[in-house]
Amino acid sequence: MSENFAELRIERVRREFGDHVALAELELTIKGGEFVALLGPSGCGKSTALNCLAGLLPLSGGQILVDGKRIDTLPPERRGFGMVFQNYALFPHMSVHRNVAFGLSMRGIGRAERTRRADEALRLVRLSDHAHKFPAQLSGGQQQRVAIARAIVLEPRLVLMDEPLSNLDAALRLEMRTEIRRLHQSLGLTTVYVTHDQEEALALADRLVVLRDGVVQQVGSPEEVYAHPANRYVAGFMGYRNMIPATVSDVDEEVVTVAAGRSVLHGVNRDGLTAGSAAVVAMRPSDVTVGEGENALRAEVEIVEYHGREQAVQARLPDGTALHVRTGSRLAPGDTVSLTVPADRVLVFAEEHPPGEES
Amino acid sequence: MAERGVDRVLWLLVPGVVFVVALFAYPVLYGLQLSFQPEEGGGVLANYERFFADPYLRDTIWITLRLAVPAALINVLASIPIAYRMRGRFRGKRLLTTILVVPITLGTVLTAEGLINYLGPVGWFNKILMGIGLTDEPVRLVHNYWGVLFSLIITGFPFAFLLILSYLSGIDPTLEQAAATLGADRRRRFRYITLPLLAPGLAITFCLTFVLAFSVFPSAYLVGLPQGETRVISIAAYESAFRDTDYPLGSAIAMIMAVVMLVVVGLVLLWRSTLYRGATGGKG
Ligand SMILES: Nc1ncnc2c1ncn2[C@@H]1O[C@H](COP(=O)(O)OP(=O)(O)OP(=O)(O)O)[C@@H](O)[C@H]1O
Ligand SMILES: [Mg+2]
């Protein structure tokens, strides 16, 4: 029904609950047809941001513009955005088919077309056989697909999805993830997708927005955010599970030399560090390999978990810091090993990074 | 014990069961058998025949229904918009709820006194009406049908309001939000989402306030016309049993009263059984 917009601008949008700032000055421009993921841990303000966009929460400040026209003063029913709720919010007293057709009948669309479009939406989410059932008679995954069908049947100019996969088991989650991406591509719907799962965000989105305590930490493509996290917080979220305290001993342009865990490491200077400052060394478990070589650390193996092709190993550095490693080689608790990391995979951040500031 | 299928916790029910039997089942059964033993002879059903033959007795059913059904309906219908607006959290909610619920604690006699003071021939209401020249004669609002209806509304409203408020609070607010994102304005959200989910609760609330109103007794005396248009069925039962000391007839009237209530409640519950009655939470 509604044609795609060229751009949706979110300008300094702010939301407070009492004196708690749930969302601070959100700035974002979403282009028509784009798939944006809002990523962050529980309580960082993702749902708040989505509810502000949908019009379910009044803003404490800022404005939202669609192609230059302010929409933040419109009630939700006049914004023409579809929403998939975190808890699905299916109407329990209506059949699946009526749930999906509800939005169509609110728009005054005639019975024949309503049925046709609802059938089509249910076919897209592969629920045609369950159209006559009630929500309570469906599994969690099926309910979730009804919620998606109900939101997309109107072909809204913006679809908001609030952790739609969080209640599903791992297999179904993967399947639905592909489904959502497929729907996005085939219908070309502009989507804002909220999740706390970095893998999901990386897999689905054209652009990621990483939030922390209501403050945007980084905006970028999945590749950018994954390979060049803006700060140590984003790095932690992007799988840099190892965060080792260190002291900078030498700086040579982008390369820093640090003393960490009684070893000397070279890494990438991410925060403009200078010699002598306290730092944190971030490494992904999968970037650490077992063996002698450059950029090595000595550690004692403590815990070994079997993960099929790989092992997840927790080792301890001489100074007592824990280090997580994923490796194909067979290790046993008590082994003393040498671990190496390529210098370009070692990110060195300042000890405490002020939130909100991007480096 | 548990292996033999009796949970020991169930023994905790014993006092309750004894209580119900002693205070409810026994009097009902006793009254029932008493109603079949008419004082003045005749068949087993003589008391019932007498009730339905005598218009002075028979009409009390109609008189009571004419009070109880509108009172219950008004209470339910008035509670819906007020409770609907009071679902959420807002400043002063507790105070407002208290004010709305206070009449429960007043009791019928105080309510009646208040009604006479406000709505009586020399009460404030009539003084104001006459003061601004709307009427020359005081409007009769107590010691007739209206007095009893007002009293039933005042005492029944808090029950209806509290019940409906709790039914409304049980409906997941994200359902209405979802409807809003699908294009439903306030009116249609209420019409298509909240009302259907609330309807079973409305039926129950109607039944409870109806039963309360149907057994109206003190206010029919105090602010009504107990020998005239508010001669409700409980007055007839009371007079038979205690003025005329005809216990069997009194029992028969009490039985008829119970049957009328059961019929009304049964009809409402029958309607309710055609509605959706499942969970009203978010996941359906
Ligand atoms: N109605 C409210 N009143 C007060 N504080 C609130 C309210 N709603 C949210 N908050 C607070 O705002 C912050 C952000 O909440 P929000 O629901 O946006 O988190 P979230 O990122 O969606 O988390 P989750 O992943 O757990 O859903 C939280 O700290 C929360 O406590
Ligand atoms: Mg949330």
Side-chain angles (χ1 to χ4, degrees), chain A residues 43 45-48 86 162-163 194:
Chain A
K46 306 183 297 288
S47 296
T48 306
Q86 197 162 3
D162 196 350
E163 304 202 32
V194 157

Side-chain angles (χ1 to χ4, degrees), chain A residues 54 56 76-77 81 83 85 87-94 102-103 105-107 135-136 143 150 154 167, chain B residues 172 174-175 177-186 188-189 192-193 196-197 276 279-284:
Chain A
L56 301 172
E77 63 267 25
F81 296 169
M83 179 143 172
F85 285 78
N87 66 354
Y88 314 151
L90 299 181
F91 307 132
H93 58 300
M94 295 184 191
F102 184 81
S105 67
M106 288 302 111
R107 304 250 145 113
Q143 290 183 28
R150 190 177 65 175
L154 296 168
N167 295 328
Chain B
D172 181 352
T174 58
L175 295 180
Q177 298 187 337
T181 63
L182 293 167
D185 56 26
R186 204 176 224 293
R188 291 194 286 182
R189 296 201 286 270
Y192 295 112
I193 309 299
L197 293 174
Y276 169 82
T280 49
K283 287 230 214 149

Side-chain angles (χ1 to χ4, degrees), chain B residues 182-206:
Chain B
L182 293 167
D185 56 26
R186 204 176 224 293
R187 215 189 76 247
R188 291 194 286 182
R189 296 201 286 270
F190 180 76
R191 165 78 187 77
Y192 295 112
I193 309 299
T194 309
L195 191 58
L197 293 174
L198 185 62
L202 295 181
I204 296 289
T205 311
F206 176 85

Side-chain angles (χ1 to χ4, degrees), chain A residues 17 20 22 41-48 86 163 196, chain B residues 89:
Chain A
F17 293 107
H20 174 79
S42 187
C44 71
K46 306 183 297 288
S47 296
T48 306
Q86 197 162 3
E163 304 202 32
H196 61 253
Chain B
R89 279 188 297 162

